[in-house]
């Protein structure tokens, strides 16, 4: 393939960023609609979208053939995390919580059916959080994933879960959809989620959702614990504390309740 140079290369780059901007706003879009919104020929859009997909920036849903962003853009911008509004708004409140309660906190976002950890603030505890920023976890067996699942619109949740089998990580992992949906309903009722050894036998955690100004769930804060050191009553108390922290952060993000 001939290397593009000069004005043609500049035009291709500008068109590519324009397409990414549209996909960001639409969240999920097909080639025809993207072509119409961008004011470009379908052949041009298809070529640029194919390049972005090969670069791992866009991905296509095999069922409806529409494209959406991947977490790749966030990973590429990890050096500029301080400019990520969720982290900038949440950090002071999380640091205050960690200092007051002596418990470590993780912040995560969803990438389809997985959790991606985007920040952590560690307390001086006997155990350390092995999860690193950029690490991933299955959404259905993590407190963070479940709490974000719980507050998604039903159609979006259906798209994420689809008909794929739920991976079993421990004997407590919820692997049938009916049980998972019942758990999500309870999470919506109480405002936080609990992972009782569903991903790792000896670990548990609680998580609460972060909402933006449009009342959309955009992230989650979670607190992990060693399972042997906390009982159900302790998890419930911790869940209420984390839910309060999440509400304070959400208000900073423009959430009105």
């Amino acid at each position: 393939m001939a290397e593009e140079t000069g004005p043609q290369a500049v035009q291709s780059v500008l068109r590519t960023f324009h397409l990414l901007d549209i996909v960001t706003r639409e969240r999920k879009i097909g080639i025809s609609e993207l072509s119409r919104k961008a004011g470009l020929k379908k052949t041009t859009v298809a070529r640029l979208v194919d390049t972005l997909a090969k670069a791992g920036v866009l991905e296509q849903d095999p069922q409806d053939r529409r494209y959406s962003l991947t977490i790749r853009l966030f990973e590429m911008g990890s050096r500029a995390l301080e400019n990520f509004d969720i982290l900038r708004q949440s950090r002071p409140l999380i640091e205050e919580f960690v200092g007051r309660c002596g418990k470590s906190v993780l912040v995560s976002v969803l990438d389809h059916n997985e959790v991606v950890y985007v920040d952590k603030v560690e307390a001086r505890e006997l155990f350390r959080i092995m999860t690193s920023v950029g690490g991933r976890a299955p959404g259905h067996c993590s407190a963070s994933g479940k709490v974000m699942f719980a507050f998604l619109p039903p159609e979006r949740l259906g798209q994420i879960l689809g008909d794929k089998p739920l991976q079993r990580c421990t004997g407590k992992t919820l692997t049938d959809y009916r049980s998972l949906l019942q758990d999500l309903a309870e999470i919506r009722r109480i405002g936080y989620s609990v992972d009782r050894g569903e991903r790792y036998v000896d670990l548990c955690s609680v998580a609460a959702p972060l909402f933006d100004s449009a009342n959309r769930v955009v992230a989650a804060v979670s607190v992990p614990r060693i399972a042997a050191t906390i009982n159900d009553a302790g998890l419930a108390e911790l869940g209420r504390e984390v839910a309060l922290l999440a509400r304070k952060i959400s208000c900073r993000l423009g959430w009105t309740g």
Side-chain angles (χ1 to χ4, degrees), residues 62-161:
Q63 294 184 339
D64 60 23
R65 312 296 294 173
R66 294 193 296 168
Y67 287 87
S68 59
L69 296 175
T70 70
I71 202 68
R72 174 78 169 154
L73 288 179
F74 175 79
E75 293 171 341
M76 290 171 64
S78 60
R79 293 184 181 179
L81 282 179
E82 64 270 17
N83 295 323
F84 189 34
D85 195 49
I86 295 173
L87 304 188
R88 182 160 47 84
Q89 297 294 343
S90 64
R91 256 290 177 148
L93 292 172
I94 290 175
E95 288 176 346
E96 188 277 331
F97 176 91
V98 171
R100 175 170 50 84
C101 298
K103 298 179 177 68
S104 301
V105 174
L106 290 162
V107 182
S108 56
V109 297
L110 270 182
D111 180 26
H112 295 279
N113 62 345
E114 289 187 316
V115 166
V116 180
Y117 296 100
V118 296
D119 196 17
K120 69 175 180 178
V121 180
E122 291 192 84
R124 291 187 176 181
E125 300 190 80
L126 295 177
F127 73 97
R128 291 192 60 194
I129 300 176
M130 300 307 295
T131 300
S132 59
V133 172
R136 291 171 176 262
H140 69 284
C141 60
S142 63
S144 295
K146 291 195 299 178
V147 83
M148 287 187 278
F149 283 171
F151 290 95
L152 287 175
E155 64 275 10
R156 178 62 180 147
L157 179 63
Q159 290 172 355
I160 289 174
L161 294 179

Side-chain angles (χ1 to χ4, degrees), residues 32-47:
S32 297
E33 187 180 1
L34 185 55
S35 173
R36 179 176 58 80
K37 288 182 178 292
L40 297 171
K41 294 180 180 179
K42 282 182 64 174
T43 53
T44 300
V45 171
R47 174 174 60 84

Side-chain angles (χ1 to χ4, degrees), residues 29 55 142 174 207 216:
I29 191 169
S142 63
L174 299 177
R216 296 174 301 196

